[in-house]
Amino acid sequence: MELAYHARVSDARAVPDVADLATARALIATLHDELTKVQRENASLRHQLDVLCQRLFGKKSERVDPRQLQLALEQLANEPGPVTEPIEMDSGDTPVREHQRRRPTGRRPLPAHLPRRRVEIDVTEADTRCACGHTKTRIGESVAEKLEYEPASFVVIETVRAKYACPHCHDGVVEAAAPPQAVEKGLAGEGLLAHVVVSKYVDHLPLHRLAGIFARQGVELARSTLCDWVAEVATALAPIGEQLRREVTAASYLQTDDTPITVLDERGGSYKGRLWTYLEPLGRQVVFDATPTHERDGPETFLAAFQGALQADAYTGYDALYRTGRIVEIGCWAHARRRFVDAFMTDPQAALMVARIQQLYQVEHACADLDPDARRARRRDQSVPRLVQIDAVRQDLARTVLLKSPLGEAVRYLTNQWAALQRFVDDGRLAIDNNRAENQLRVVAVGRKNWLFAGSFEGARRAALLYSLVQSCKLIDLPPFDYLKDVLMRVATHPQRLIAQLTPKGWAASFRRQPAA
């Protein structure tokens, strides 16, 4: 108690004794400025904490509850300021449809392509005798299907090559030629190699876990052996990856995004590398690229031959490409909206902008099934007026919000990207955002939680190549296992001039109905 009393006395003595009114006013103004600064810092820290908690514990979706937006708009309406026209509210990225078909109930039929094994159960001979003395006749049957599972099994393929020799001179021994293989003198067959790649890069199984699965089936394979197989598959498929890269960069419209990965350094420790995705939405192909840093050299090298529209976030590494004039910047409305959704946690003024942007997405959903020309006309008719409204809200907020506040940061992003964000209305082929490119990186994010890191930069490059192939398969609904197994059987003898036939899209057109023997 005595220590607390002395502390209060010392604090009281620390306050200056002001005698005149002018000095008191100056002191009050100084303390008020300091209090305002502390309050701003406190609000910024609270906002960062709210965003962090939302990302850690909240829903991953960025959808905003319409009741929450309505409440915020009512609060804004009660405050003095310009009156805006009513806004139609919507809960998320999907507009409410007037007529929705009722979802079917009951058990779904089992796929027709699955093999069936018929098990017949007949009645006893005594049950076939009727009480009248006659024998009952079979009039039908009742069939009940049950889905069963048989674990995958290993098969040893013995390749026998005949040898011939002369019985008289014992000279001139001939032997049948060995069949060509993607991996020379390899222990694994093409089906096993494809299974290992799909398990790691589609099902996100680390190789040590896959080795444990094999061990339970009685086949001991070291993790290092599986690593060597993945490396050999990547080497065999590298020409296909280069062809896929040439086809993607020859397109006129790409979406791109990137994500960090941990890469082990050969000298010890680790560093943050980067995996980039370059999606061709119209051609439904994608290429991943690995770089050791997040510098602009990676995109500049990959896009050296590209000419057209590039849709990305506001990463400054693309600015040099835009200045060349051969690449047109297309903004992403999802990135812009995301900042206002975050700012809405601390400032209800962001609600109006979120609602306005939502109206843009309603137009996009309504014209999703239209051809590019019709979509462009619909955007000119409906999206352009909404962009004018968004610009008016942006200018109003820019005059009132604090620059360093979360809402101020969102407004500044929108202002800096405003020209690029409007270009999608001029071309019906373009999307309103690059969410599809972000979705391609989800496989990396899920896999990263399992395999944790790339063992080397070469390992990261192999991962980029194999992700390119399996994700391109998914874009055209092509089973990655079927594709990889068949291509590994063909690649050793396929002519280099016809390498385009072995990309996922080319293979689907050339060989999908002609499986290799």
Side-chain angles (χ1 to χ4, degrees):
M1 292 294 294
E2 184 177 357
L3 291 175
Y5 171 77
H6 286 298
R8 288 195 298 270
V9 171
S10 61
D11 290 342
R13 292 175 180 176
V15 178
D17 187 9
V18 180
D20 60 301
L21 183 60
T23 304
R25 288 176 176 174
L27 178 60
I28 292 173
T30 302
L31 294 176
H32 179 269
D33 292 342
E34 186 66 23
L35 177 62
T36 302
K37 179 181 178 182
V38 172
Q39 288 175 339
R40 290 177 182 174
E41 292 179 352
N42 187 27
S44 177
L45 292 174
R46 285 182 177 275
H47 172 71
Q48 295 178 29
L49 180 61
D50 291 341
V51 172
L52 180 60
C53 291
Q54 172 68 20
R55 292 178 179 176
L56 288 177
F57 309 112
K59 295 182 179 180
K60 298 300 181 183
S61 174
E62 295 174 4
R63 296 181 179 180
V64 180
D65 192 328
R67 295 168 297 180
Q68 191 178 12
L69 276 177
Q70 190 67 39
L71 177 62
L73 290 173
E74 290 174 356
Q75 293 175 355
L76 289 176
N78 295 329
E79 296 179 1
V83 179
T84 59
E85 61 181 18
I87 297 176
E88 180 182 355
M89 302 307 300
D90 187 63
S91 60
D93 294 341
T94 304
V96 178
R97 302 184 183 274
E98 295 181 1
H99 302 284
Q100 293 184 349
R101 294 183 179 180
R102 185 176 180 181
R103 298 183 62 180
T105 58
R107 180 181 297 176
R108 294 182 179 180
L110 297 176
H113 69 273
L114 295 178
R116 258 76 174 170
R117 185 181 305 159
R118 186 179 177 91
V119 178
E120 289 197 12
I121 303 177
D122 206 344
V123 299
T124 63
E125 184 177 355
D127 290 336
T128 62
R129 297 173 184 173
C130 184
C132 66
H134 294 82
T135 302
K136 295 181 180 179
T137 303
R138 181 168 178 169
I139 60 174
E141 61 187 16
S142 59
V143 180
E145 292 187 334
K146 179 168 59 177
L147 188 63
E148 186 57 278
Y149 174 75
E150 296 180 357
S153 58
F154 287 92
V155 178
V156 177
I157 305 297
E158 293 184 349
T159 302
V160 180
R161 292 185 291 155
K163 294 182 179 182
Y164 290 84
C166 178
H168 300 287
C169 63
H170 303 287
D171 193 11
V173 176
V174 294
E175 182 179 4
Q181 298 181 13
V183 178
E184 290 294 334
K185 300 180 180 179
L187 175 66
E190 288 79 7
L192 180 55
L193 294 174
H195 176 67
V196 171
V197 172
V198 170
S199 296
K200 181 172 182 180
Y201 296 103
V202 178
D203 300 327
H204 319 296
L205 282 177
L207 294 181
H208 74 273
R209 198 177 301 168
L210 188 60
I213 295 174
F214 291 162
R216 290 200 302 269
Q217 300 181 32
V219 179
E220 297 286 345
L221 293 171
R223 189 186 70 87
S224 59
T225 301
L226 301 181
C227 289
D228 293 340
W229 289 354
V230 172
E232 290 167 346
V233 169
T235 301
L237 301 182
I240 303 175
E242 289 298 321
Q243 174 63 25
L244 185 61
R245 177 172 181 162
R246 287 190 293 267
E247 292 180 7
V248 167
T249 53
S252 60
Y253 170 42
L254 293 181
Q255 294 181 349
T256 181
D257 206 347
D258 63 276
T259 189
I261 59 169
T262 302
V263 182
L264 297 186
D265 196 337
E266 297 178 355
R267 298 166 295 183
S270 63
Y271 60 91
K272 286 294 182 182
R274 217 76 183 181
L275 273 184
W276 308 73
T277 180
Y278 298 91
L279 172 68
E280 183 191 356
L282 305 179
R284 294 191 297 170
Q285 298 186 115
V286 64
V287 173
F288 289 73
D289 187 40
T291 59
T293 65
H294 194 214
E295 298 177 357
R296 67 182 186 183
D297 296 346
E300 287 184 354
T301 301
F302 188 93
L303 299 171
F306 173 69
Q307 294 184 5
L310 181 67
Q311 193 162 33
D313 55 16
Y315 172 54
T316 57
Y318 301 120
D319 292 345
L321 293 171
Y322 301 143
R323 286 194 294 267
T324 63
R326 59 184 175 85
I327 297 180
V328 180
E329 179 183 9
I330 309 298
C332 173
W333 274 101
H335 282 84
R337 181 181 184 273
R338 190 173 301 155
R339 284 166 168 77
F340 285 98
V341 170
D342 291 342
F344 178 63
M345 297 179 183
T346 57
D347 195 334
Q349 294 184 89
L352 183 59
M353 184 63 78
V354 174
R356 291 294 190 191
I357 296 176
Q358 184 60 44
Q359 291 180 331
L360 278 182
Y361 275 92
Q362 291 176 358
V363 177
E364 292 302 306
H365 287 295
C367 63
D369 297 330
L370 301 180
D371 61 80
D373 293 335
R375 188 180 300 114
R376 177 177 178 271
R378 181 74 64 87
R379 287 172 173 174
R380 287 294 184 92
D381 182 48
Q382 299 183 11
S383 296
V384 170
R386 285 167 170 77
L387 288 172
V388 174
Q389 296 171 347
I390 290 175
D391 191 29
V393 177
R394 176 184 67 85
Q395 295 181 24
D396 290 341
L397 291 175
R399 289 190 293 266
T400 58
V401 301
L402 299 174
L403 294 179
K404 296 297 184 180
S405 66
L407 184 55
E409 295 283 351
V411 171
R412 185 166 71 250
Y413 178 92
L414 186 62
T415 301
N416 294 338
Q417 292 291 108
W418 185 242
L421 287 169
Q422 298 180 80
R423 293 193 178 110
F424 79 99
V425 299
D426 298 325
D427 191 340
R429 302 173 307 154
L430 305 180
I432 192 174
D433 53 42
N434 71 332
N435 280 351
R436 282 181 283 183
E438 284 191 357
N439 290 341
Q440 291 297 316
L441 292 175
R442 288 184 178 181
V443 294
V444 181
V446 176
R448 190 170 50 204
K449 294 180 180 180
N450 291 276
W451 41 258
L452 300 180
F453 55 81
S456 64
F457 182 64
E458 285 301 316
R461 295 181 62 182
R462 289 194 293 267
L465 168 64
L466 296 173
Y467 274 133
S468 301
L469 297 177
V470 299
Q471 288 301 110
S472 293
C473 286
K474 290 183 180 180
L475 289 175
I476 57 175
D477 298 324
L478 180 64
F481 175 83
D482 296 345
Y483 164 77
L484 289 172
K485 180 180 179 180
D486 188 79
V487 166
L488 286 172
M489 297 173 69
R490 295 178 185 273
V491 68
T493 57
H494 197 79
Q496 178 64 30
R497 59 184 177 83
L498 300 178
I499 195 66
Q501 294 181 345
L502 297 186
T503 65
K505 194 174 179 179
W507 184 89
S510 302
F511 306 113
R512 190 170 190 173
R513 296 186 179 181
Q514 306 171 25

